[in-house]
Each structure stands twice: as C-alpha cells, then as structure tokens.
Amino acid sequence: MNESKAEPVPPAAEPMAAEQPEEPGGRSGREPRSGAWHLPVLLVLLAAIAAIAWQWYDTRNRIDAIRTELGQRLRSNDNTAEESRILAKQAQEAAREAQGKLSVLENKIAESQSQQMALETLYQELSRSRDEWALAEIEQMLTLASQQLQLAGNVQAALLGLRTAEGRLARSGRPQFGALRRVLNRDIERLKAAPSVDITGMALRLDQLVAGVDSLPLHFDERTQAAATPARTDAANPIWVRVLAEVWNEMKQLVRIRIMDEPDAALLAPAQSYFLRQNLQLRLLDARQALLARDPVRFRADLEIARKWIARYYDTRAKNTAAALTSLKQLAAGSVNVELPSIDDSLAAVRNFKVSREKAQR
C-alpha cells in the first residue's frame, strides 16, 4: 500500500505521447501542421495588395485623364468666351449703327405717331389670348367690308373681307369657330349671287367727262378764218382807184353772213363760255356724289341737265362732244340703286361670340 501511494499511475495519454517520434532539432511533428495556414493567408494578402495597387494606379490614370480633359474644356471655354466677347463687341457696334439708323427713321415716321399710339391703345385694351386677338381682327375686317358694301356698294371689297375672315378662322383650327364659319360662308354665297354694280367704273367715267369739258367745242367757238389778203391794185392805176379798192376790202371784213344748220342754237358771249364750262363740271361732280350716295333720282337729274347743256351750247358734230353725249346716255341708263345683301349676320355672330367668351372667363 505504501508503494502504490509513492508511485502514482500516469494518464493513458502520456504513453501515446511518449511513443511519437521526435524530429531532429527537438520539434514534434504536430507543430509543422499547425503553421501550414500561413502560406494561403500570405498569398491572399499579396493578392489584395496587388489589387489595391492596381486600383490605385487605374484611379490615378483616370484622374489624370479627367484633369487633361478638364483642362482642354477650360481652354475651349476660354476660346469660346473670347469669341463671345468679340461677337458682343461687334454686336454693340452694330447696335450703335442701328441706333443711328433708327433715329433717322424716327424722324420720318413722326407724322404717323398719333395713329400708332391710337392703335397701340386699341390693342392694349383687347384681351391677350390668341382667340380674342383673332376675333378682334375678324370683327374689324367685317366692319370694313360692311362699310364698303353700304357706302360704296363695292361687292368685291366686301367679298374679299369675308373670305379673309373665313380663312383666318380656318387657319386657327379651333372647333369652337365652326358656327362662325358657317355664318360667314352663308354671307359669302349671298354676295356671290348679288347683282354686280360697277360704281367705281361709273365714277371713273364721270371723272373723264369732267376732265374733258374744257376740250368740248362750243357752237360759236370756231375761230374766225383769216381774212383773204386783198388783191393789190396796180401801182399804175389812179390813186382814187386804189383808195376805193382798199375801202371795199375793209367793208367786206365788217359784215359776214353764216348759214346755220340749227337755227335754234343758243348764242353765248365769249366771256360767258368760262362760266358755262365751270357749271357743267360742277353738275357732273354733283352727279358723281349722287352716284356714290346711291341716289338714282338726283344722279339721273344731274346727267339730264348736263346732257341738255351740251346739246344746246356745244357743237354736237364734233367727235368728243358726241362721245360725251353717248357716255351720259349710257350712265343714265345704268342701274345705281341695286339692293345688295348685308353682312349684319356675320357681324352679329362675331360680336355675340365675343360676349359669350367674356362672360365665360368671368
């Protein structure tokens, strides 16, 4: 029992450890296996360092490229800025030249400044929207067309105004203008079917007659034919024969006998021919005013008086006198007071449309 206490039994693992062979150098075989992970870790670290180095190199190259490109762009911007400054300087010079020309033009248009200011005031009072501008223009066109139709009877001018207004609505492409276009087209067809009266042509013919009054010959406007040169008496004749011959020639110049084809031709003193021509011109001008005023009674009455004066006091055998009488007859036979259709429907439609739009905007 004392021996068992003095020598304790070693663990079972110790004999096994004692049996493992030892390598030279005093190291056991387990230590080399525990240090085998150092090599892969080292390789991984080297790869990471290489990747970081490559990334740093690539990033540096990119930064250098960006710097180079940025420098080029800055130089390009500097060149562009320089060109811009040159262009700005040229523009300033051109502006100064334009300012000089503008001052010259301002002096030329000084007479129309009042009208321009009135138009600017009118346009400023109108609405800013595109449709309202178009409606204002169309209303103005139709107003002018109505004035031409009512005052001058100019169907072509009124028709042109209606077609222009309808084309303006068509170009806008607004579906809400469909009703207005239908009304305008109806008035256009009515004007096409209306009888045509050439008021302008008739007024021009009257102007030609007024200008030709001074060239119309009067009945007694013919110049006296030059007296025949008296035959010279022979110097060999006695003096009393020569005196009697000269007295006879003078007596023949005092009395003339003329055969008149029209015994009722009015006699007119030469001093009164001026007043006759002036009165005839005034009568023709009054007929022109009656024509423009669409007054057929006064128009035909003035033409008849002018025709009677020409037939009574002027030489009707002359070509220009006969032509004047023919023109007066044709003008008197023409129709003056022709009933023309109105375009009040178009004007009313445009104005009602404007009022409805203003109410809707409120």
Side-chain angles (χ1 to χ4, degrees):
M1 293 177 66
N2 294 329
E3 294 177 358
S4 61
K5 290 180 181 178
E7 296 177 2
V9 179
E14 290 182 358
M16 294 178 63
E19 293 177 357
Q20 292 180 356
E22 292 183 0
E23 294 182 359
R27 290 184 181 181
S28 65
R30 196 171 193 180
E31 289 179 356
R33 285 196 301 269
S34 63
W37 59 274
H38 293 168
L39 182 60
V41 170
L42 182 60
L43 294 175
V44 170
L45 289 175
L46 291 175
I49 292 171
I52 292 172
W54 172 255
Q55 185 68 28
W56 174 81
Y57 179 75
D58 183 60
T59 304
R60 183 177 179 181
N61 290 336
R62 290 184 180 180
I63 291 173
D64 292 339
I66 291 172
R67 288 178 178 175
T68 304
E69 184 179 359
L70 182 59
Q72 293 176 355
R73 291 187 179 181
L74 288 176
R75 287 191 295 273
S76 177
N77 290 334
D78 292 339
N79 296 331
T80 304
E82 185 64 24
E83 293 177 357
S84 299
R85 285 193 292 272
I86 295 173
L87 291 176
K89 185 176 180 181
Q90 294 176 356
Q92 289 177 357
E93 293 177 356
R96 286 193 293 270
E97 294 178 359
Q99 186 67 26
K101 295 180 180 179
L102 182 61
S103 61
V104 175
L105 291 176
E106 287 177 353
N107 295 329
K108 293 183 179 179
I109 63 173
E111 298 178 356
S112 61
Q113 285 182 352
S114 58
Q115 297 180 357
Q116 184 178 0
M117 293 176 61
L119 289 176
E120 288 178 357
T121 304
L122 177 62
Y123 280 108
Q124 288 175 0
E125 292 176 355
L126 296 176
S127 176
R128 300 296 182 182
S129 65
R130 182 178 178 182
D131 293 342
E132 291 180 353
W133 280 99
L135 290 173
E137 292 178 357
I138 290 170
E139 183 180 5
Q140 187 176 8
M141 292 177 190
L142 295 179
T143 302
L144 293 175
S146 179
Q147 291 176 356
Q148 289 291 329
L149 190 62
Q150 294 178 359
L151 299 179
N154 196 343
V155 179
Q156 297 300 324
L159 191 59
L160 179 61
L162 284 174
R163 287 175 176 172
T164 305
E166 199 277 334
R168 181 75 174 81
L169 292 176
R171 287 193 301 271
S172 65
R174 303 284 183 175
Q176 59 267 29
F177 291 155
L180 290 179
R181 293 183 62 187
R182 285 192 294 270
V183 176
L184 290 176
N185 287 322
R186 184 167 61 248
D187 286 342
I188 288 173
E189 296 299 327
R190 290 170 59 190
L191 286 180
K192 286 182 180 179
S196 178
V197 179
D198 190 9
I199 301 295
T200 305
M202 297 173 70
L204 290 176
R205 293 182 66 180
L206 284 173
D207 292 338
Q208 292 177 357
L209 288 174
V210 172
V213 167
D214 293 333
S215 62
L216 297 178
L218 293 168
H219 279 296
F220 293 94
D221 201 22
E222 299 177 359
R223 293 185 178 181
T224 306
Q225 297 180 357
T229 303
R232 293 183 178 180
T233 57
D234 192 359
N237 293 333
I239 187 171
W240 62 272
V241 174
R242 294 197 302 269
V243 171
L244 289 177
E246 291 178 2
V247 171
W248 176 248
N249 290 330
E250 292 294 333
M251 292 294 294
K252 288 192 298 183
Q253 298 296 326
L254 294 176
V255 179
R256 288 198 180 105
I257 299 174
R258 180 180 297 175
I259 299 175
M260 302 294 298
D261 295 336
E262 298 178 358
D264 59 343
L267 298 177
L268 190 66
Q272 296 178 354
S273 61
Y274 171 78
F275 298 102
L276 174 63
R277 296 181 190 277
Q278 293 297 319
N279 289 330
L280 182 58
Q281 289 178 349
L282 291 175
R283 185 63 64 179
L284 293 174
L285 290 174
D286 189 63
R288 188 178 185 277
Q289 291 180 355
L291 173 65
L292 297 178
R294 319 284 292 181
D295 189 353
V297 177
R298 187 160 60 93
F299 174 71
R300 291 190 175 88
D302 291 332
L303 291 181
E304 181 62 21
I305 293 173
R307 188 193 65 79
K308 289 180 178 180
W309 285 359
I310 292 175
R312 182 175 177 83
Y313 295 104
Y314 290 87
D315 186 9
T316 57
R317 294 172 299 180
K319 291 183 179 180
N320 51 355
T321 306
L325 290 173
T326 303
S327 297
L328 290 175
K329 184 178 180 180
Q330 292 174 354
L331 290 171
S335 180
V336 176
N337 191 14
V338 178
E339 185 177 357
L340 297 175
S342 64
I343 58 173
D344 294 338
D345 294 342
S346 298
L347 273 172
V350 173
R351 289 168 181 170
N352 293 333
F353 188 82
K354 287 181 62 179
V355 171
S356 62
R357 281 181 58 85
E358 291 175 358
K359 291 181 178 179
Q361 290 178 357
R362 292 177 184 176

